[in-house]
């Protein structure tokens, strides 16, 4: 989130608190946590070790509900998460059903990813983050949220956060989502290899750049 990089290695802290809906512990906040950079947070939670595991299970409904509760508690108490489509399926899209994808492990050992749930035509809208993305008003609220989570969920949310301008003249803001749409995080480094793409850097919508067959993996570029 644009906070710089300082290499700090911590020993795992003692486990002192349990998550409300998990057996996963919540680690104590380290000294200076409120000014930690993204890289310091990753070092603190040993996120790079967690990232090596490409067979991490998909989040359960309970996992998503915990993340939503923590967001309401630490960031925006007025945020409603009342979508009839469960986060394990995405969010309400189009005619009231989920978006045209589902989450599972990648076929190529790249971890959790999204796959087309039906044939998709070139130019078709495949994702609309306008109403489903969450925004953090500042880096401090993002840190509060991250440090309120169990270690694995903290690492997930660091990985699933990004900065983006909503308008060209706007400042960059911190965004994420608390449903399977976060698995759009990208698996190709060359834009031409992507099959879903925003129309501009400020857009929260993705469109198919070519025809996509049912059960084909949806690929975006890391630069988005």
């Amino acid at each position: 989130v644009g906070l710089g990089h300082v290499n700090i290695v911590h020993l795992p802290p003692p486990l002192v608190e349990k998550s409300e809906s998990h057996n996963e512990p919540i680690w104590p906040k380290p000294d200076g946590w409120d000014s930690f950079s993204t890289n310091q947070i990753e070092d603190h939670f040993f996120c790079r070790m967690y990232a090596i595991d490409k067979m991490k299970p998909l989040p359960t409904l309970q996992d998503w509900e915990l993340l939503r509760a923590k967001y309401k508690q630490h960031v925006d108490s007025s945020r409603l998460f009342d979508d009839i489509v469960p986060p394990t399926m995405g969010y309400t899209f189009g005619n009231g059903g989920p978006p045209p994808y589902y989450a599972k492990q990648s076929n190529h050992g790249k971890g959790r990813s999204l796959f087309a749930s039906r044939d998709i035509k070139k130019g078709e809208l495949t994702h609309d983050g306008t109403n489903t993305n969450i925004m953090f008003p500042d880096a401090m609220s993002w840190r509060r949220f991250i440090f309120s989570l169990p270690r694995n969920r903290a690492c997930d949310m660091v990985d699933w956060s990004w900065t983006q301008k909503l308008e060209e003249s706007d400042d960059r803001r911190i965004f994420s989502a608390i449903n399977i749409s976060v698995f759009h995080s990208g698996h190709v480094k060359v834009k031409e290899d992507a099959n879903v793409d925003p129309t501009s850097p400020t857009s929260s919508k993705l469109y198919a750049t070519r025809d996509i067959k049912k059960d084909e993996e949806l690929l975006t570029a890391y630069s988005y």
Side-chain angles (χ1 to χ4, degrees):
V1 292
L3 301 175
H5 180 198
V6 177
N7 286 319
I8 296 179
V9 176
H10 300 277
L11 293 176
L15 310 180
V16 298
E17 182 185 349
K18 296 292 183 180
S19 161
E20 292 88 342
S21 57
H22 291 72
N23 290 323
E24 295 180 65
I26 306 242
W27 291 12
K29 294 183 181 73
D31 292 340
W33 68 272
D34 53 350
S35 60
F36 266 28
S37 69
T38 303
N39 285 283
Q40 285 176 292
I41 293 173
E42 289 175 330
D43 289 341
H44 170 73
F45 285 111
F46 292 85
C47 291
R48 292 172 184 84
M49 294 172 59
Y50 177 71
I52 292 172
D53 180 8
K54 299 304 182 183
M55 296 303 294
K56 292 186 288 292
L58 294 173
T60 64
L61 180 59
Q62 186 182 42
D63 291 327
W64 294 120
E65 288 176 343
L66 172 67
L67 293 172
R68 290 177 169 189
K70 292 293 188 179
Y71 182 83
K72 287 176 67 72
Q73 179 182 354
H74 294 282
V75 182
D76 183 0
S77 61
S78 67
R79 175 67 190 236
L80 296 178
F81 293 104
D82 56 358
D83 199 323
I84 60 173
V85 173
T88 51
M89 297 178 64
Y91 55 91
T92 298
F93 179 88
N95 293 325
Y101 51 72
Y102 61 92
K104 72 165 191 172
Q105 293 289 340
S106 171
N107 297 328
H108 306 291
K110 294 180 291 189
R112 300 167 290 190
S113 191
L114 295 176
F115 295 79
S117 56
R118 58 171 173 77
D119 289 348
I120 298 172
K121 293 293 186 182
K122 180 179 179 179
E124 186 177 341
L125 178 69
T126 62
H127 169 65
D128 185 354
T130 306
N131 295 319
T132 191
N133 289 345
I134 57 171
M135 186 180 73
F136 296 86
D138 49 45
M140 188 65 231
S141 63
W142 182 79
R143 293 187 191 99
R144 281 199 309 269
F145 173 68
I146 296 297
F147 279 103
S148 75
L149 301 173
R151 178 262 186 155
N152 289 356
R153 301 290 77 79
C155 290
D156 280 336
M157 289 306 300
V158 170
D159 187 40
W160 299 338
S161 297
W162 69 91
T163 61
Q164 181 181 355
K165 292 182 177 183
L166 296 179
E167 302 287 344
E168 286 295 342
S169 59
D170 198 5
D171 293 331
R172 297 188 74 86
R173 305 186 185 188
I174 306 170
F175 291 91
S176 187
I178 307 181
N179 58 63
I180 62 168
S181 68
V182 292
F183 298 127
H184 274 116
S185 54
H187 292 302
V188 296
K189 295 184 179 180
V190 179
K191 185 174 181 178
E192 287 70 25
D193 292 338
N195 56 18
V196 292
D197 192 14
T199 56
S200 75
T202 59
S203 175
S204 298
K205 299 179 179 181
L206 295 176
Y207 296 85
T209 60
R210 59 170 174 79
D211 289 347
I212 301 171
K213 293 294 186 181
K214 183 178 183 293
D215 298 321
E216 186 177 346
E217 187 172 5
L218 302 185
L219 301 172
T220 63
Y222 281 114
S223 58
Y224 299 164

